[in-house]
């Protein structure tokens, strides 16, 4: 039925696959069979996907789809769900032995929206324990390896999703981002990841829905068009929650390059240590935007690096303590938590109301400062990481460019400006270093400018196409 070779089918973007499925020139069963073949060939080495559903059951689900109308925006597409999110009938371990074996009894909101749009959930994507740290390893499923060099990290916490995308195990994937968890693995795996404006994709309507606004779910894909497709399904307010933004349009219109103003922020005026080669490759990516016709300017550091860090670590630890303290207090689970989890909980529990308020004031000051910058620029650009993918046997980099790291996440400090202010950011492939490893740039916009960022990213993709031009070297499916 398909009009392409088998390998070509898996190389197609989600938007292209959806068109073939809708036209019935490709069957969902055929796509699923190829998907399962690719997973069988690669996942044993890379360990990107976990808790996979039985293959025969998935093929039966795909055949059932082939006998129904193709109405949903994602109908017939296979997808993995990040193992921080509940998908009914699948385990939700969050990479922790404290939760191993926990079977989700219902879909979380974003999974329900994706299922309503027609996806076929094939399994979960691997994460660091409780998604803490940008290196995907945990004591339940083990480590996920980078497809460009299995000896190094794939990043995290959406590392399994990024690897599955890069290797064509899935055409789209969900992720989540607190401190770069969508952006760093996208950059390290030569794919796209989007942290939407906070509130664009509602969190699960459980527990507190007012106070904690650092993390958000978002889409990952191999093109901005696919980001927009998945985000159009995930986004939109939930009436059970007090904050929310409207949806986005799945159809992107590339803007005129002459209308695009880009601010290159580099290493924040020397404040963020960077390994050799990262700034240069990211500057080259900015030049591609300039070559297309955008106006690109250097931007001096607009805010205190120390103030951003102090605000971020206070609010993050406060969030972690409120979320995970029950596991720390339970004798059955307290000794099953990794040291970084314990550190966040204990630090957060030691904070007072005045500490949290002071951190929120700094956050507010930064939001206002950023808003003024966006009067001059459509987007600000930073690297997606301060280091290249590091060896698998490291827990985290202890130093960056000769500067000692004082916490397990300090090396990801470059992601804080967008996260702290709840700003949208699209991670885009920037190219490859002399080491053969990928790096990315963050395209950061004013809150609410998600559509505009996606359109700029689509223009960039049209002239670069890094995921398509330089995929990992893979055996045939």
């Amino acid at each position: 039925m398909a009009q392409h070779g088998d390998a070509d089918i898996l190389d197609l973007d989600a938007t292209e696959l959806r068109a073939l499925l809708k036209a019935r020139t490709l069957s969902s069963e055929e796509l699923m069979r190829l998907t399962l073949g690719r997973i069988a060939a690669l996942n044993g080495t890379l360990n990107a996907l976990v808790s996979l559903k039985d293959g025969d059951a998935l093929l039966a689900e795909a055949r059932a789809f082939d006998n129904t109308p193709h109405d949903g925006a994602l109908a017939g597409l296979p997808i993995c769900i990040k193992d921080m999110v509940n998908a009914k009938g699948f385990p939700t371990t969050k990479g922790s032995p404290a939760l191993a074996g926990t079977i989700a009894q219902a879909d979380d909101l974003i999974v329900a929206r994706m299922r309503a749009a027609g996806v076929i959930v094939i399994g979960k994507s691997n994460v660091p324990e409780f998604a803490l740290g940008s290196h995907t390893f945990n004591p339940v499923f083990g480590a996920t390896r980078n497809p460009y060099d299995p000896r190094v990290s794939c990043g995290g916490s959406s590392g399994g999703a990024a690897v599955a995308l890069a290797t064509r195990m899935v055409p789209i994937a969900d992720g989540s981002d607190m401190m770069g968890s969508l952006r760093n693995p996208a950059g390290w795996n030569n794919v796209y990841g989007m942290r939407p404006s906070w509130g664009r994709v509602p969190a699960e309507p459980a527990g507190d829905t007012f106070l904690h606004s650092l993390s958000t779910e978002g889409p990952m894909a191999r093109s901005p068009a696919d980001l927009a497709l998945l985000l159009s399904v995930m986004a939109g307010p939930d009436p059970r929650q007090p904050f929310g933004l409207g949806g986005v349009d799945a159809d992107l219109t590339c803007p005129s390059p002459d209308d695009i103003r880009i601010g290159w922020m580099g290493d924040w005026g020397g404040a963020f240590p960077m390994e050799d080669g990262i700034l240069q490759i990211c500057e080259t990516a900015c030049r591609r935007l300039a070559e297309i016709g955008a106006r690109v300017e250097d931007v001096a550091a607009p805010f205190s690096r120390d103030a951003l860090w102090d605000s971020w670590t206070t609010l993050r630890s406060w969030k972690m303590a409120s979320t995970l303290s029950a596991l720390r207090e339970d004798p059955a689970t307290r000794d099953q938590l990794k040291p970084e989890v314990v550190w966040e909980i204990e630090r957060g529990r030691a904070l007072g109301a005045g500490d949290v308020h002071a951190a929120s004031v700094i956050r507010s000051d930064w939001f206002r400062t950023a808003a003024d910058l966006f009067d001059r620029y459509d987007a600000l650009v930073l690297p997606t990481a301060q280091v290249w993918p590091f060896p698998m046997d490291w827990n985290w980099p202890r130093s960056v460019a000769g500067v000692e790291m004082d916490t397990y996440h300090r090396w990801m400090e470059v992601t804080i400006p967008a996260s702290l202010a709840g700003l949208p950011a699209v991670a885009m492939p920037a190219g490859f270093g002399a080491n053969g490893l990928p790096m990315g740039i963050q395209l950061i916009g004013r809150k609410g400018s998600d559509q505009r960022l996606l359109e700029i990213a689509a223009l960039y993709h049209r002239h670069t196409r890094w995921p398509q031009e330089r995929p990992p070297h893979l055996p045939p499916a």
Side-chain angles (χ1 to χ4, degrees):
M1 179 181 290
Q3 303 299 307
H4 305 265
D6 287 352
D8 292 338
I9 289 173
L10 293 182
D11 280 334
L12 294 176
D13 290 345
T15 49
E16 297 169 315
L17 289 171
R18 182 67 194 101
L20 294 177
L21 290 165
K22 187 173 183 178
R24 296 187 180 271
T25 55
L26 173 69
S27 72
S28 182
E29 181 180 4
E30 183 176 4
L31 177 58
M32 184 62 71
R33 194 176 301 281
L34 292 171
T35 296
L36 293 173
R38 176 57 56 85
I39 292 170
L42 298 179
N43 200 50
T45 299
L46 299 175
N47 194 35
L49 302 181
V50 299
S51 302
L52 286 162
K53 191 172 182 177
D54 175 73
D56 289 339
L58 287 171
L59 288 169
E61 193 172 344
R63 280 193 296 272
F65 165 81
D66 288 329
N67 294 317
T68 59
H70 298 185
D71 294 331
L74 307 176
L77 296 177
I79 194 170
C80 55
I81 303 298
K82 187 172 178 178
D83 198 22
M84 296 294 294
V85 177
N86 289 313
K88 184 178 180 180
F90 290 86
T92 307
T93 74
K94 302 185 179 182
S96 173
L99 299 178
T102 303
I103 304 298
Q105 301 303 304
D107 287 335
D108 280 354
L109 177 61
I110 64 163
V111 178
R113 288 180 171 182
M114 288 189 283
R115 287 210 213 246
V119 298
I120 300 175
V121 178
I122 64 173
K124 308 298 285 289
S125 57
N126 203 21
V127 298
E129 186 176 345
F130 292 109
L132 296 181
S134 194
H135 180 23
T136 299
F137 71 98
N138 64 68
V140 180
F141 296 114
T144 301
R145 297 179 178 274
N146 193 305
Y148 287 93
D149 183 345
R151 298 170 298 179
V152 300
S153 173
C154 67
S157 62
S158 304
V163 172
L165 281 168
T167 55
R168 280 59 173 167
M169 293 191 222
V170 290
I172 50 173
D174 72 299
S176 59
D177 190 297
M178 179 180 280
M179 191 179 178
S181 288
L182 277 160
R183 292 165 282 164
N184 180 49
W188 279 5
N189 290 276
N190 192 37
V191 297
Y192 288 84
M194 184 176 189
R195 177 193 169 94
S197 295
W198 188 82
R200 180 76 68 192
V201 177
E204 186 62 11
D208 172 68
T209 57
F210 279 87
L211 295 178
H212 299 292
S213 56
L214 298 180
S215 182
T216 179
E217 308 293 333
M220 302 187 79
R222 294 191 294 270
S223 72
D226 285 1
L227 289 181
L229 175 66
L230 182 52
L231 185 58
S232 72
V233 171
M234 302 171 77
D238 173 25
R240 298 165 293 178
Q241 301 187 63
F243 307 106
L245 299 175
V248 298
D249 192 340
D251 296 322
L252 298 179
T253 301
C254 286
S256 168
D258 296 339
D259 296 334
I260 299 173
R261 304 162 301 165
I262 301 293
W264 164 239
M265 306 189 79
D267 58 3
W268 208 264
F272 298 151
M274 298 273 177
E275 287 189 342
D276 289 346
I278 291 177
L279 287 178
Q280 291 85 344
I281 200 169
C282 293
E283 286 171 349
T284 299
C286 282
R287 283 200 297 272
R288 294 301 298 271
L289 286 164
E291 290 166 3
I292 294 166
R295 188 176 77 223
V296 180
E297 301 174 359
D298 291 344
V299 178
F303 203 82
S304 164
R305 174 253 189 126
D306 291 338
L308 289 175
W309 180 250
D310 290 345
S311 175
W312 175 256
T313 52
T314 295
L315 295 173
R316 178 183 168 97
S317 293
W318 180 54
K319 159 70 172 175
M320 291 297 100
S322 67
T323 304
L324 300 175
S325 282
L327 292 172
R328 179 64 173 157
E329 293 167 358
D330 187 342
T333 55
R334 62 176 295 117
D335 295 329
Q336 296 179 309
L337 306 176
K338 71 177 183 179
E340 291 82 2
V341 175
V342 175
W343 179 82
E344 292 280 16
I345 293 170
E346 297 303 327
R347 188 173 184 275
R349 292 170 74 168
L351 295 168
D355 300 318
V356 174
H357 175 74
S360 189
V361 169
I362 294 171
R363 182 189 200 184
S364 302
D365 288 344
W366 163 232
F367 186 91
R368 287 188 289 269
T369 300
D372 289 341
L373 282 173
F374 291 120
D375 288 338
R376 303 197 301 272
Y377 301 104
D378 295 286
L380 303 173
V381 176
L382 287 166
T384 55
Q386 294 163 232
V387 300
W388 296 99
F390 50 80
M392 287 293 295
D393 59 357
W394 293 11
N395 283 4
W396 43 277
R398 304 291 166 159
S399 66
V400 177
V403 178
E404 295 298 316
M405 299 290 102
D406 54 359
T407 72
Y408 76 98
H409 51 8
R410 187 84 183 224
W411 62 277
M412 286 299 298
E413 200 171 358
V414 74
T415 66
I416 288 175
S419 296
L420 189 62
L423 304 177
V426 178
M428 309 194 301
F432 291 76
N435 53 16
L437 297 174
M439 183 52 64
I441 55 173
Q442 304 173 68
L443 199 67
I444 304 167
R446 183 192 298 273
K447 184 174 182 181
S449 67
D450 306 57
Q451 194 82 31
R452 175 71 168 172
L453 281 188
L454 284 166
E455 290 171 350
I456 297 172
L459 183 66
Y460 174 85
H461 180 70
R462 179 186 294 177
H463 291 271
T464 56
R465 292 180 55 82
W466 278 114
Q468 291 72 30
E469 294 295 326
R470 193 159 171 181
H473 293 295
L474 304 171

